Amino acid sequence: MPPSHTTPAIPTMDTRPSTLHNGMRRQLQTWRETVADRGLRLGWKTGFTVPADQQRLHLPCAMVGFLSRERCYRSGDHYRPPAGAALLVEPEVALQMGADVPAGANTEQALAAIVSYSAALELVDTTRSVDGDMAAILAGNLFHAGVVLTDTALPARDYRREQLTISLCINGEEVRTLEPERVPKDFSAIILAVANTLAEHGEQLQKGDWIISGAATKPVAVADGDEIEVEMGVLGSIVLKIDQARR
C-alpha cells in the first residue's frame, strides 16, 4: 500500500464570493446535465468542513459538491478506478433528509429535517487537483470519485455523537481512527451550507437527499488490490475492494 497522504496543500486560494459563485455555477451545470436530467440524483457532499480550515482559507462555510447514483456503491462491491487514478478514501457520516430545507432555514429546522444516519466511505481522485484554483476545484466536484453507503440506516432519533467510533483498516491493518475535531456536535451548519449554496443557484436541498459530511479521519491513499474495511459502530460497516485500474 502506498504511503498515506492528504489532498495536496494549497498555499494560496482565491475565495472571493465571485470565485465561489463561478465554480458552483459550473459544477451545477454539470450536475444538471449528467445527474438531474438523467434521474440519478442522490444528494450532496461537503468539503472544507473543519472550521479552522475555513478560517485559514477565508471560506464562508463548507463547500458543496454533488453525489450521483451512478457513482454510489454498496458494501461488498468492487471499485475499478480509471487509469492513472490517485485514490484516497475518507470515512464520513452520512445523513439523509426527511424534508426539504429551504434557504434561510434555522438550526432547529435543519436538525429536524434529518431522518437517518449512515456510515459512508468517499473515494476521491487527486489526479484532478488544481493548485490554488477554488473555482476549478468546485467545478470539478471537489475531487469526488464515488461513495459507498451502508444498506441500512440509523433513525435520527437514535444517533448520539458521543457513541460515534471509527476504525479504518486497509488489508486488515488499522490505519485510521476517529478524529473528533473533524465531526461536529451537530450537523446543522453543514445542512445549512448545502441548502443556502443550492438556493443561490436556483436549486434546493430536497427530501430524500443524502449529505456526506466531510472526512472524519485524515484521508488514506489506496491502490489496486487493496481491501478497505470501515467500522463505524452504530452507523454500520463497509467493505470495498479496489480492483485493477482500467487501462
Side-chain angles (χ1 to χ4, degrees):
M1 186 179 69
S4 61
H5 59 283
T6 57
T7 49
I10 301 174
T12 59
M13 183 81 75
D14 177 5
T15 56
R16 291 174 296 176
S18 59
T19 299
L20 303 182
H21 186 89
N22 179 46
M24 282 304 304
R25 178 187 58 77
R26 291 158 56 191
Q27 179 199 121
L28 288 171
Q29 183 59 39
T30 299
W31 172 78
R32 293 180 186 107
E33 294 171 354
T34 64
V35 177
D37 290 351
R38 297 174 60 203
L40 297 173
R41 180 177 183 141
L42 177 64
W44 310 95
K45 65 160 286 178
T46 51
F48 302 94
T49 56
V50 178
D53 291 338
Q54 294 171 18
Q55 293 170 11
R56 177 173 56 87
L57 296 171
H58 306 289
L59 294 170
C61 61
M63 299 291 97
V64 178
F66 63 82
L67 307 177
S68 170
R69 294 189 180 279
E70 194 170 45
R71 294 189 178 187
C72 182
Y73 305 90
R74 296 297 174 185
S75 182
D77 282 353
H78 289 233
Y79 175 78
R80 189 178 185 190
L87 285 181
L88 307 176
V89 294
E90 303 174 351
E92 307 193 20
V93 176
L95 39 147
Q96 188 175 36
M97 298 294 99
D100 295 353
V101 182
N106 60 34
T107 296
E108 291 73 21
Q109 289 172 302
L111 295 176
I114 304 171
V115 68
S116 61
Y117 292 86
S118 173
L121 182 75
E122 186 182 15
L123 298 127
V124 297
D125 184 357
T126 60
T127 57
R128 294 172 291 146
S129 296
V130 282
D131 290 339
D133 189 343
M134 181 58 87
I137 290 171
L138 288 169
N141 202 26
L142 297 171
F143 315 114
H144 182 71
V147 64
V148 189
L149 296 172
T150 57
D151 291 326
T152 58
L154 181 74
R157 64 178 178 275
D158 296 332
Y159 175 78
R160 302 290 184 273
R161 169 64 178 79
E162 61 273 14
Q163 295 177 347
L164 180 64
T165 60
I166 295 177
S167 174
L168 172 62
C169 296
I170 308 294
N171 302 323
E173 178 185 354
E174 185 177 79
V175 295
R176 291 286 189 271
T177 57
L178 173 67
E179 297 177 41
E181 69 277 7
R182 290 176 170 266
V183 180
K185 292 181 179 179
D186 71 60
F187 295 97
S188 57
I190 286 173
I191 294 169
L192 295 175
V194 175
N196 292 331
T197 298
L198 293 178
E200 289 176 7
H201 297 270
E203 303 294 345
Q204 186 177 41
L205 180 57
Q206 294 183 359
K207 178 180 179 179
D209 282 351
W210 284 95
I211 298 175
I212 56 173
S213 60
T217 73
K218 290 183 178 65
V220 177
V222 294
D224 296 0
D226 282 347
E227 184 167 297
I228 305 153
E229 299 177 70
V230 184
E231 174 59 54
M232 293 182 63
V234 295
L235 296 185
S237 59
I238 287 170
V239 176
L240 183 73
K241 180 69 177 288
I242 306 297
D243 287 343
Q244 184 175 16
R246 296 191 292 270
R247 299 190 184 284

